[in-house]
Amino acid sequence: MYVADYKRHNILVFAPGATEPRVYFHAENFNQPNDLAFARDGTLYASDPHWKRRDGQVWRIVPNADGSGSGEVMAAPRKFGTTNGIDLSPDEKTLYVAESETREIWAYRIESGKLAVPRLLKKFSDFSIDGLRTDIDGRIYVARILKGTIDVLTPDGKTIREISLKAKEPTNLAFGGLDGKTVYVTQRQGGFIETFRVDRPGREFCLQRTAADPACR
């Protein structure tokens, strides 16, 4: 389990069965970090907002042979807003980055470890956005903090579903359960985890499954 330790500017990792984490990656020029997304080869992408300046950056962290990570800030052709939610498309050619202050989601093509061809995927007219996750079909699930919903977008940014939650401050979400079709949502208001079911599993969930697993086809 990988954890963003924003106060000490670390990415921590808990090995299976471990009760204490070890530092996987540390950088003095981290602002935080905040949200994380994994690629199939173990590359880790991390959003890194600077809330006071209302901007941020995105990191690319690759695994080393000794079990640590090496990372660098990804070059991008535009200045980021407050980088927050982050995830990959199922083919791992596109990185989605949510910018909370502007309520925008941007799509970037990944080219040789850099971000290219920025495309404004979605700009919401109200309420801030926080975490996001993609499913195996490329749909994007976005936490609409203060609105109390998870919005589901197509890969080209069209809203196809709005899922109302019990509390109004969803911050992040993850796919899990036995089949990857249970979405777990952290709720800042009330401090609890809310769940709902969907029809397709999450992208990251299926990274842990074999190609023969029928749930991930």
Side-chain angles (χ1 to χ4, degrees), residues 27-124:
E28 290 298 328
N29 54 331
F30 261 143
N31 298 317
Q32 287 209 340
N34 195 303
D35 283 9
L36 310 175
F38 264 104
R40 185 170 296 278
D41 65 0
T43 299
L44 180 64
Y45 296 90
S47 67
D48 191 21
H50 194 297
W51 294 96
K52 290 184 179 179
R53 289 201 311 253
R54 296 188 175 185
D55 63 13
Q57 51 196 9
V58 172
W59 288 73
R60 180 177 179 267
I61 304 162
V62 297
N64 296 322
D66 65 358
S68 65
S70 296
E72 60 182 2
V73 176
M74 299 184 77
R78 60 175 290 274
K79 180 179 173 61
F80 289 110
T82 310
T83 52
N84 198 334
I86 190 169
D87 207 356
L88 291 159
S89 60
D91 64 7
E92 300 187 353
K93 295 179 180 179
T94 301
L95 185 71
Y96 300 110
V97 182
E99 299 183 358
S100 291
E101 299 293 338
T102 57
R103 304 186 299 275
E104 295 174 349
I105 299 175
W106 286 82
Y108 297 88
R109 195 164 67 208
I110 300 174
E111 295 183 351
S112 302
K114 299 179 180 180
L115 298 176
V117 195
R119 173 170 53 96
L120 179 59
L121 188 75
K122 182 76 173 183
K123 182 175 179 65
F124 293 96

Side-chain angles (χ1 to χ4, degrees), residues 2-209:
Y2 290 76
V3 179
D5 174 12
Y6 72 91
K7 288 189 176 181
R8 295 180 177 86
H9 310 307
N10 295 320
I11 303 292
L12 304 176
V13 60
F14 285 83
T19 57
E20 295 292 333
R22 62 177 173 84
V23 175
Y24 177 69
F25 177 70
H26 170 84
E28 290 298 328
N29 54 331
F30 261 143
N31 298 317
Q32 287 209 340
N34 195 303
D35 283 9
L36 310 175
F38 264 104
R40 185 170 296 278
D41 65 0
T43 299
L44 180 64
Y45 296 90
S47 67
D48 191 21
H50 194 297
W51 294 96
K52 290 184 179 179
R53 289 201 311 253
R54 296 188 175 185
D55 63 13
Q57 51 196 9
V58 172
W59 288 73
R60 180 177 179 267
I61 304 162
V62 297
N64 296 322
D66 65 358
S68 65
S70 296
E72 60 182 2
V73 176
M74 299 184 77
R78 60 175 290 274
K79 180 179 173 61
F80 289 110
T82 310
T83 52
N84 198 334
I86 190 169
D87 207 356
L88 291 159
S89 60
D91 64 7
E92 300 187 353
K93 295 179 180 179
T94 301
L95 185 71
Y96 300 110
V97 182
E99 299 183 358
S100 291
E101 299 293 338
T102 57
R103 304 186 299 275
E104 295 174 349
I105 299 175
W106 286 82
Y108 297 88
R109 195 164 67 208
I110 300 174
E111 295 183 351
S112 302
K114 299 179 180 180
L115 298 176
V117 195
R119 173 170 53 96
L120 179 59
L121 188 75
K122 182 76 173 183
K123 182 175 179 65
F124 293 96
S125 61
D126 54 11
F127 301 102
S128 186
I129 55 178
D130 203 313
L132 64 83
R133 278 291 177 259
T134 56
D135 71 9
I136 197 173
D137 295 329
R139 292 177 294 191
I140 306 161
Y141 288 67
V142 186
R144 304 290 311 283
I145 191 168
L146 301 180
K147 187 179 184 183
T149 65
I150 301 296
D151 284 17
V152 185
L153 312 179
T154 62
D156 60 356
K158 295 182 175 62
T159 301
I160 55 175
R161 187 181 177 191
E162 186 177 275
I163 301 165
S164 296
L165 302 171
K166 294 180 179 179
K168 294 296 185 182
E169 298 183 11
T171 54
N172 220 323
L173 63 152
F175 288 78
L178 294 177
D179 59 2
K181 298 178 184 178
T182 299
V183 178
Y184 297 84
V185 183
T186 53
Q187 285 280 10
R188 187 172 69 183
Q189 182 189 46
F192 65 98
I193 295 174
E194 186 169 345
T195 67
F196 59 87
R197 294 282 293 167
V198 293
D199 61 340
R200 295 289 279 158
R203 180 196 68 85
E204 281 192 336
F205 173 88
C206 286
L207 295 184
Q208 305 172 60
R209 295 297 189 267

